Amino acid sequence: MLTAITGINWGDEGKGRMVDLISQEYDIVARYQGGNNAGHTVKNERGKFVLNLLPSGILRPNVVCVMGNGMVIDPHHLDGEINKLREQGISITPANLKISDRATITMPYHVDQDGLEEARLSKTGAQFGSTKRGIAYTYGDKYMKKTLRMGDLLHLDDSVKKRLVTMVDSKNLVMEGSYNAAPISVDEMWAWLEKYAAIFKDYICDVGQYLADADAAGKKVLFEAQLGALRDIDFGIYPYTTSSNTIGAYAPIGAGIPGHKLTNSIGVMKAYSSCVGDGPFAAELAMTEEEKHDLREAGHEYGAATGRPRRVGPIDLVASRYGVFCQGCDEVALTLLDVLDYMEKIPMVTAYKLSDGSTTTRFPMGEALDTAQPVVEYLPGWHCDITAARKWEDLPKEAQNYVEYLEKAVGCKITYISVGAEREAYIHHVV
């Protein structure tokens, strides 16, 4: 069984929380794209954990975690993340963590270039809201065939060094010529590679073969995504996207088994909207600054990777319907429903008013999205604490009505409802 858990909006939907919950039923959890530019925050009986690169399944001792070929991996960050989790009592060994030999390495100069370019763009207000962790520049170099892969760490020989010299020479033309930055040292980069080769050599393997064998043996594999459909490089709010494919259809490819097909796609949707970074976000126009402040505080909406305050607004059903379509969702997990407990009435963006005066329920792109104004409707709130609810019948009627309205609006059944941050704080709703 091959299941993908993906975000249907801008990211930060609570995918890590759902992977942590659902992974108890799976043997393997595989990340298939992205790097350490986003985070998953998970709370369980062992504490609070913030994950950037590692799959959320790492918190379950009987689950094997895979970092797929579609990822870009900063070994320095990964080493720090692993050490922090070990300090929190999480066991991480080559037995429960396997890193694809085809995954691309994020080099220190990728991080440096990201920061330099964002600083240059910010002078004219043209910045992308980058996390400055080198992701776009790693992927860019990957497609120009100017990167190293994790498998290269297993044989740092003369041929690898020759490639490194070529890459550094090319990169220095940009770093020195465009940014007036100090030149990159080949010797320093080589020493950096040697350091992390020693640390990760026992973790690096052909994960594609491992996953194929596991699938043939009847094991259950859960694919974990970073960010959401609206950040997909092809189908998202380009150019305010990430640099990889976040959609579920890419999961087998980015994990290492491109010939396999998904069995099931679970989309994760927040009970309201949030967004980190720049780009069009019509939902925030549907609330006053005071209302957005109250929602941000109620949901603790600050980025797991950056700590930045997230932009917030009501649930955007236009965007969510599009996200469900992009992810090919068979079912939806609704998260953070309890955050809305304080509201007397629940706002929802049900359509967009476009600059030509027309109204649409289809998600637009380009100028139409940039200038779209939200059309807002309301449902009565429940205005009580629902965090103790564990069955559908435990929810107040107003909360049930809200969930059922969302199901019809996005065209997909909602089978999981999160009512708190703790692992057991959810309702499995199967009709």
Side-chain angles (χ1 to χ4, degrees), residues 197-237:
I199 292 172
F200 290 115
K201 60 182 176 63
D202 293 333
Y203 294 82
I204 300 166
C205 63
D206 181 352
V207 301
Q209 190 62 56
Y210 172 77
L211 291 172
D213 292 344
D215 185 46
K219 292 189 175 182
K220 299 172 72 175
V221 181
L222 187 64
F223 298 108
E224 178 178 4
Q226 172 208 58
L227 297 167
L230 300 180
R231 297 297 189 188
D232 184 89
I233 186 67
D234 291 318
F235 299 98
I237 53 171

Side-chain angles (χ1 to χ4, degrees), residues 114-173:
D114 198 350
L116 289 166
E117 178 64 5
E118 192 74 354
R120 185 186 73 82
L121 292 172
S122 67
K123 294 175 182 177
T124 59
Q127 69 274 16
F128 288 103
S130 170
T131 55
K132 303 176 186 177
R133 296 193 172 183
I135 308 305
Y137 297 91
T138 309
Y139 275 114
D141 281 354
K142 170 183 176 176
Y143 289 107
M144 290 192 292
K145 284 82 74 178
K146 292 180 179 177
T147 53
L148 297 176
R149 304 199 290 185
M150 292 299 289
D152 291 319
L153 297 181
L154 300 180
H155 52 89
L156 291 176
D157 53 22
D158 289 343
S159 65
V160 175
K161 191 162 191 177
K162 183 178 179 180
R163 289 172 54 212
L164 178 65
V165 170
T166 300
M167 288 185 280
V168 168
D169 285 346
S170 175
K171 189 64 68 175
N172 274 335
L173 293 174

